[in-house]
Amino acid sequence: MTILTPLPDNTQPTDHPPTSNWRKYFSFSHDHKVIGIQYLVTSFLFYLIGGALAAAVRTELATPASDVVSPELYNSLFTLHGTVMIFLWIVPATAGFINYLVPLMIGARDMAFPRLNALAFWIIPPAGVLLMASFFVTGGAAGAGWTSYPPLSTMSPKAGELIWILSVLLLGSSSILGAVNFVVTIWKMRHPKMGWNDMPLVCWASLATGVLILLSTPVLAGALILLSFDLIVGTAFFNPTGGGDPIVYQHMFWFYSHPAVYIMILPVFGMISEIIPVHARKPIFGYRAIAYSSLAICFLGLIVWAHHMFTSGTPPWLRMFFMFATMVIAVPTGIKVFSWVATLWGGKLNLNSALFFAMGFVSMFVIGGISGVMLAAVPFDIHVHDTYFVVAHFHYVLFGGSVFGIYAGVYHWFPKMTGRMMNETLGKIHFALTFIGFNLTFLPMHKLGLDGMNRRIAEYDPKYATINMICTIGTYLLAVSTFPFLINAVWSWIKGEKALANPWKGLTLEWSTSSPPPEENFEEEPVILCHPYAYGKRPQVAPPSNLDAGATSLST
């Protein structure tokens, strides 16, 4: 097998570059590392806003009566909660990791189009502010849910709905610009000695994500533009009284929004594939299977959208196709889960915060995946359609599957990004509170859904009160769990223990440069000598004569 990757020196103190100027993080920087951190910090701020909206929703649902906010405001709260969490938290947060990691991992100096990269980020803050400002316009913010289905969306507050459409269009444009950059960078700027089958799995996942964004996002843009025409100039693309069809909107919306699940989760799959072998000190099990399964998910993700529409008058024969297609997508996903568990099995586990969150990710995603297979079955989906079972499912997939992975990534790459180590005690407290709070919030929702409680309602039958109170307490605990993380991140960045260049003894290229890396990533051209996942295979031998001094060979 091809031999790749350097053996970085992890025995010497980090060669810290001069102290960074904090003002660069507020500038139109072209440095992919600065942009990556801009993405991460900005998206986390919106995560706090989205979490506050969720807490307001759960406070309303703590009791059966609608007694905290007005019904109109309740609709706006859960609409903007979903929109913020998807378009302003998970998608940009994963884009932040990709921005920071991909050029380093492939041995490049920067992204292919640095200015375009900066532009893609700087679209996000004004779009987010615009979205939140819609609470203050006449009629209030949009209240038709993050799906914005017509005809409900055409009956929502007009100004708020138009602002919602404009914000999502801007955020979609940012994703497209970023995706072009990711695909071209990975395709054209890899190290000359890095073949496709030697590429880190984050890069495979990023490539699949970029392709998926380019194929699906323009369809959502088309749907939203047509919807805005219906709102502004009175066309009837989705208005049945004028000859339009609201179901067409659902097809266009879900053609993007089901792949959007994979747009959010694929980069996290890649990050987990990096974190587990490093902290288990084992080669990743089934490298090629994991790499190619990302492409399989990319393809299959484009042909399963209508399983969201089993109750929308879809013909039975078409339901069967989408049911089987949705079930088939569990195969490449299952390959990844099996590979991660096999990698952990028998490994020398370094039970730190990064690995705890990575294992939490795997376990939570498995629960979300199992309920996903259940929802793929037409009879079951019809039974629980629009109930809290669906809410529980997509939170196990998106929160359990993405947020746990994002936290794992922060703990793993924080030393590389800042040159400082995070506090492990605070990290483990953060994990424990998050894990308990998350399961307390969302696990009982499965029963609520099976018992028939509808979602998107502010008032409900008192028989659901006890479980809803448990969910609300879990939400508050989840909110509290962010404090140890915030304290840890801020304190560690300023006063944390200085990090070595390679504190985890990783084998991918980002660990071969200083922490944090210099402006152009590498002081010298990186040398690739071994496979990025050859943990436990390092022979203690002198470097062969044909390699650079200081390097050690690695046989596979």
Side-chain angles (χ1 to χ4, degrees):
M1 184 176 181
T2 306
I3 294 177
L4 281 187
T5 277
L7 300 179
D9 182 1
N10 53 45
T11 61
Q12 298 298 319
T14 301
D15 180 19
H16 288 285
T19 303
S20 300
N21 187 341
W22 60 269
R23 291 182 180 83
K24 70 182 180 182
Y25 294 107
F26 295 89
S27 69
F28 194 80
S29 173
H30 302 163
D31 185 341
H32 73 94
K33 299 181 294 299
V34 174
I35 296 170
I37 292 174
Q38 287 174 326
Y39 266 109
L40 288 171
V41 173
T42 304
S43 60
F44 189 77
L45 293 175
F46 281 113
Y47 170 60
L48 297 179
I49 294 171
L53 296 174
V57 169
R58 286 309 318 176
T59 301
E60 173 60 75
L61 293 173
T63 56
S66 176
D67 51 5
V68 177
V69 295
S70 67
E72 293 78 15
L73 180 57
Y74 178 83
N75 289 342
S76 297
L77 288 172
F78 75 72
T79 296
L80 264 62
H81 161 70
T83 308
V84 167
M85 288 304 200
I86 290 171
F87 294 108
L88 289 164
W89 160 232
I90 300 177
V91 171
T94 54
F97 277 108
I98 294 174
N99 255 287
Y100 195 95
L101 294 174
V102 165
L104 284 165
M105 284 184 160
I106 63 174
R109 301 288 180 187
D110 207 329
M111 299 286 277
F113 309 112
R115 288 182 175 80
L116 198 66
N117 199 24
L119 177 62
F121 165 73
W122 280 107
I123 290 174
I124 293 174
V129 171
L130 181 66
L131 182 67
M132 299 313 301
S134 64
F135 273 114
F136 305 102
V137 300
T138 303
W146 84 279
T147 56
S148 201
Y149 281 169
L152 185 59
S153 55
T154 57
M155 296 186 288
S156 258
K158 189 173 180 179
E161 188 64 31
L162 286 171
I163 291 174
W164 183 90
I165 291 172
L166 180 58
S167 300
V168 175
L169 284 174
L170 288 170
L171 295 168
S173 302
S174 168
S175 288
I176 291 172
L177 296 179
V180 170
N181 232 335
F182 298 144
V183 172
V184 175
T185 301
I186 294 169
W187 199 280
K188 304 296 288 187
M189 297 179 67
R190 294 192 320 277
H191 191 286
K193 291 186 179 178
M194 182 180 285
W196 286 106
N197 288 322
D198 304 313
M199 197 165 64
L201 290 165
V202 159
C203 303
W204 274 106
S206 303
L207 182 65
T209 305
V211 172
L212 204 49
I213 290 172
L214 293 176
L215 292 175
S216 63
T217 308
V219 180
L220 174 66
L224 295 181
I225 290 170
L226 295 180
L227 182 61
S228 68
F229 286 164
D230 280 5
L231 279 164
I232 298 172
V233 297
T235 55
F237 292 107
F238 306 124
N239 183 355
T241 60
D245 188 349
I247 301 300
V248 173
Y249 175 87
Q250 293 190 28
H251 281 288
M252 297 177 74
F253 178 84
W254 287 113
F255 186 81
Y256 163 80
S257 295
H258 187 79
V261 174
Y262 305 111
I263 290 169
M264 289 181 268
I265 204 80
L266 275 170
V268 181
F269 283 168
M271 290 156 56
I272 296 299
S273 300
E274 302 293 338
I275 294 168
I276 285 179
V278 172
H279 296 284
R281 308 313 300 169
K282 278 183 65 183
I284 190 79
F285 185 90
Y287 166 84
R288 293 194 183 195
I290 295 177
Y292 300 158
S293 65
S294 294
L295 301 181
I297 291 172
C298 172
F299 169 72
L300 292 170
L302 291 168
I303 59 170
V304 298
W305 78 90
H307 77 240
H308 294 272
M309 302 167 58
F310 285 156
T311 60
S312 299
T314 308
W317 67 269
L318 201 55
R319 285 177 177 174
M320 292 301 104
F321 170 78
F322 283 104
M323 180 177 78
F324 287 118
T326 305
M327 289 183 172
V328 166
I329 207 168
V331 175
T333 308
I335 287 172
K336 290 181 185 294
V337 173
F338 175 76
S339 298
W340 295 326
V341 173
T343 305
L344 287 167
W345 186 266
K348 297 178 180 177
L349 304 185
N350 178 17
L351 293 173
N352 55 23
S353 304
L355 189 59
F356 273 125
F357 271 104
M359 292 191 295
F361 159 86
V362 175
S363 55
M364 297 301 97
F365 183 77
V366 166
I367 294 174
I370 291 172
S371 59
V373 173
M374 294 167 69
L375 287 169
V378 174
F380 185 82
D381 181 84
I382 291 174
H383 176 67
V384 298
H385 183 77
D386 261 347
T387 70
Y388 264 83
F389 190 92
V390 180
V391 179
H393 159 69
F394 68 68
H395 278 92
Y396 267 89
V397 171
L398 291 184
F399 194 115
S402 294
V403 179
F404 274 76
I406 289 170
Y407 279 138
V410 171
Y411 283 101
H412 183 70
W413 280 290
F414 189 88
K416 178 55 59 183
M417 294 178 177
T418 66
R420 304 277 181 174
M421 301 297 292
M422 294 190 84
N423 181 282
E424 273 300 313
T425 302
L426 284 173
K428 288 171 183 173
I429 292 172
H430 174 216
F431 170 76
L433 291 174
T434 306
F435 190 84
I436 296 169
F438 171 80
N439 283 291
L440 202 59
T441 303
F442 298 110
L443 192 61
M445 289 185 187
H446 290 98
K447 178 166 174 51
L448 278 180
L450 291 172
D451 288 349
M453 179 170 167
N454 287 330
R455 56 175 172 161
R456 304 190 184 105
I457 56 172
E459 292 183 4
Y460 54 86
D461 192 313
K463 69 180 181 181
Y464 303 124
T466 303
I467 297 180
N468 271 292
M469 179 57 75
I470 293 171
C471 295
T472 302
I473 293 170
T475 302
Y476 293 157
L477 185 59
L478 209 47
V480 170
S481 73
T482 57
F483 287 102
F485 173 75
L486 280 170
I487 295 168
N488 197 357
V490 174
W491 175 259
S492 299
W493 200 335
I494 299 171
K495 295 289 185 180
E497 176 190 350
K498 288 188 176 181
L500 301 175
N502 188 8
W504 312 125
K505 301 179 182 178
L507 296 177
T508 40
L509 277 180
E510 79 273 23
W511 300 111
S512 67
T513 186
S514 63
S515 300
E519 185 170 349
E520 293 192 341
N521 294 345
F522 304 95
E523 297 290 352
E524 299 176 355
E525 188 71 22
V527 179
I528 297 180
L529 298 170
C530 66
H531 196 272
Y533 305 102
Y535 298 102
K537 294 185 177 181
R538 182 187 301 199
Q540 300 299 316
V541 298
S545 58
N546 62 334
L547 298 179
D548 293 342
T552 306
S553 70
L554 187 81
S555 59
T556 59

